[in-house]
Amino acid sequence: MLKKILIIDDEINILRSLEMILKGEGFVVKKAANLKTAKSLIEKEQFSFFLLDVMLPDGDGIEFIKQIRKNSNSAVIIMISGHATVKMAVDATQKGADDFLEKPLSKDKVIITLN
């Protein structure tokens, strides 16, 4: 099975490091620094996995879960945030996220969560 992931985060260093880690694990990686780019990508391509930041320059990652679920109901959605609260994690899970990771992200935790 092709492991195709879309990483949506506005921090360039996070996009780069996650891309290197995940390509090393056999993922096909696409990146988006904002929701507008992410929306355009999910309209054209199917992804099995999403790493989605909660706060993005053009909107709320948690609200974007609905958009992802419209196009891909079975995809695994992992929320990531440097400013997480329990309420945020609960809200994300109720809206369809599969898990919630806090930044800074550890390589092992990301890989274990995706597997």
Side-chain angles (χ1 to χ4, degrees), residues 25-63:
E25 292 294 316
F27 282 86
V28 173
V29 179
K30 294 282 179 140
K31 303 175 296 194
N34 56 51
L35 295 177
K36 182 181 178 194
T37 304
K39 184 176 182 183
S40 140
L41 284 167
I42 65 173
E43 287 171 354
K44 292 182 218 152
E45 301 180 52
Q46 286 292 320
F47 295 91
S48 310
F49 301 90
F50 292 85
L51 280 172
L52 172 60
D53 195 4
V54 171
M55 289 188 244
L56 290 148
D58 58 346
D60 181 339
I62 293 174
E63 291 304 314

Side-chain angles (χ1 to χ4, degrees), residues 75-93:
V76 174
I77 301 172
I78 312 295
M79 299 301 299
I80 52 179
S81 177
H83 314 283
T85 64
V86 172
K87 181 186 180 313
M88 212 182 270
V90 169
D91 190 27
T93 309

Side-chain angles (χ1 to χ4, degrees), residues 12-25:
I12 301 305
N13 291 336
I14 288 180
L15 287 175
R16 283 190 189 133
S17 59
L18 284 171
E19 179 180 32
M20 283 190 324
I21 291 166
L22 296 171
K23 278 187 172 178
E25 292 294 316

